[in-house]
């Protein structure tokens, strides 16, 4: 049955944790008739006060709207919730915004197809506070026509709403890539803060100092991305040999100040391998070859 998303289309949100409440709140703010359900009913109270309809069961919540958004702790919870619902999902568009791996996304897509549902897997690259704003990025994978039909409703969740293609697993892969970037940047900051802390320089000072450095680094990243995509790593700025010498200094400094050295040692281990493979004269981008391999030696 064709479904028009013109106007304020109805939507169901299942899972009202910190993120689910933000999602339902953004739909309500945009005028969408919003049905909600959560295992613990109390979490629906504020949304109901804002005009949401609390369904009596998960099954009733699914039955209430052609577009069903699920956002719970993990895929296991999502399946525990959805598995017993039987045929009520048939003919609906199920959007799963629960965080997981691309394998879990593919498995859930297969399961949803067996239920007769059209499945979109999505990821949220945002905190609950930014949902519904220009800063919120939400990425979707799965059938394009289903995304097109519901795009204006899904856009209520953030201006950075995009469909990446038919691969249900691709959004999760983007999510994992961004998590990797985030934790590595944060760990570098924390290690740096521990270093400077030994000289009583506070973390706020490093944070403001970092702003400029991070800005410059995003420019290097673009240049290195071009090298990675081309498969050639000319050292126009600094060779891996030079980086390696700096890593040794970082380890020595950390050791002598009595702070944790696992992070710089791990980075040096990878760089040692790249240099041993003849990459010492290349740029840092050559390290991609270390990350592309499966782990053989645990750091
Ligand atoms: P949360 O506040 O801990 O909420 C978890 C939700 O999952 C609650 O509604 C909980 O229900 C429900 N749940 C867990 N197990 C369940 C089960 N077996 N059956 C039914 N419901 C179950 O977590 P959140 O921050 O909302 O995160 C939800 C998802 O969004 C996660 O996958 C998370 O990675 C993703 N996400 C979160 C953020 C963020 O900043 N918070 C950002 C991006 C993505 P009860 O209330 O009954 O326990």
């Amino acid at each position: 049955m064709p479904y028009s998303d013109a106007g304020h289309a109805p939507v169901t949100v299942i899972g009202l944790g910190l993120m689910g409440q933000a999602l339902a709140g953004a739909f309500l703010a945009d005028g969408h008739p919003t049905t909600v359900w959560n295992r613990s009913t109390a979490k629906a109270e504020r949304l109901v006060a804002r005009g949401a309809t609390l369904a009596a069961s998960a099954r009733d919540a699914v039955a209430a709207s052609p577009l069903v958004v699920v956002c719970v702790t993990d895929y296991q919870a999502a399946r525990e919730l959805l598995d017993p619902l039987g045929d009520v999902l048939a003919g609906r568009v199920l959007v799963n915004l629960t965080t997981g791996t691309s394998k879990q996304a593919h498995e859930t897509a297969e399961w949803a197809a067996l239920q007769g549902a059209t499945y979109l897997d999505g990821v949220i690259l945002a905190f609950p506070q930014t949902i519904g704003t220009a800063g919120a990025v939400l990425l979707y994978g799965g059938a394009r026509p289903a995304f097109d039909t519901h795009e204006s409703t899904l856009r209520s969740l953030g201006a950075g709403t995009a469909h990446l293609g038919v691969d249900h697993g691709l959004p999760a892969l983007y999510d994992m890539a961004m998590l990797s970037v985030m934790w590595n940047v944060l760990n570098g900051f924390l290690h740096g803060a521990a270093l400077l802390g030994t000289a009583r320089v506070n973390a706020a000072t490093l944070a403001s100092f970092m702003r400029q450095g991070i800005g410059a680094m995003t420019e290097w990243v673009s240049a290195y991305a071009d090298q990675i995509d081309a498969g050639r790593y000319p050292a126009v700025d600094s060779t891996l040999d030079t980086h390696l010498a700096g890593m040794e200094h970082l380890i020595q400094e950390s050791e002598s100040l009595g702070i944790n050295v696992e992070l710089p040692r791990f980075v040096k281990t990878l760089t040692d391998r790249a240099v041993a493979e003849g990459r010492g004269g290349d740029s840092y981008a050559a390290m991609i070859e270390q990350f592309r391999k499966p782990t053989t030696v645990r750091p």
Side-chain angles (χ1 to χ4, degrees), residues 250-263:
L250 178 57
I251 291 168
Q252 284 171 15
E253 188 76 74
S254 304
E255 268 170 352
S256 66
L257 292 172
I259 71 162
N260 191 295
V261 292
E262 287 167 279
L263 183 63

Side-chain angles (χ1 to χ4, degrees), residues 28-226:
L28 283 170
D30 256 6
H32 293 281
T34 305
T35 300
V36 295
W37 184 85
N38 192 59
R39 183 177 58 179
S40 327
T41 312
K43 288 185 186 167
E45 281 170 9
R46 271 185 292 174
L47 292 162
V48 169
R50 289 177 58 192
T53 303
L54 175 61
S57 66
R59 188 183 166 84
D60 286 356
V62 171
S65 314
L67 176 64
V68 178
V69 175
V70 174
C71 185
V72 289
T73 304
D74 53 28
Y75 275 66
Q76 192 183 337
R79 288 291 296 276
E80 274 173 28
L81 180 66
L82 296 170
D83 265 335
L85 301 187
D87 59 3
V88 71
L89 280 162
R92 300 181 197 282
V93 173
L94 174 64
V95 177
N96 187 11
L97 290 175
T98 301
T99 302
T101 65
S102 58
K103 184 166 181 267
Q104 288 175 315
H106 287 137
E107 286 166 356
T108 308
E110 282 172 25
W111 170 85
L114 293 175
Q115 314 308 309
T118 303
Y119 184 67
L120 292 173
D121 200 281
V123 297
I124 306 169
L125 305 181
F127 290 116
Q129 293 79 357
T130 59
I131 293 299
T133 71
V137 173
L138 293 99
L139 307 175
Y140 299 88
R144 179 86 213 195
F147 177 80
D148 288 344
T149 301
H150 295 286
E151 181 177 357
S152 72
T153 303
L154 294 173
R155 209 162 268 288
S156 296
L157 302 179
T161 292
H163 183 259
L164 300 180
V166 294
D167 182 351
H168 292 99
L170 196 53
L173 211 51
Y174 269 75
D175 196 21
M176 296 302 119
M178 290 311 294
L179 288 176
S180 182
V181 170
M182 178 183 79
W183 282 317
N184 282 293
V185 170
L186 288 177
N187 285 332
F189 165 66
L190 296 174
H191 186 259
L195 271 171
L196 281 173
T198 63
R200 299 183 188 279
V201 178
N202 63 22
T205 304
L206 175 61
S208 61
F209 195 71
M210 253 177 79
R211 278 176 190 275
Q212 200 185 345
I214 291 267
M217 247 178 258
T218 56
E219 285 171 29
W220 301 352
V221 165
S222 299
Y224 286 166
D226 290 342

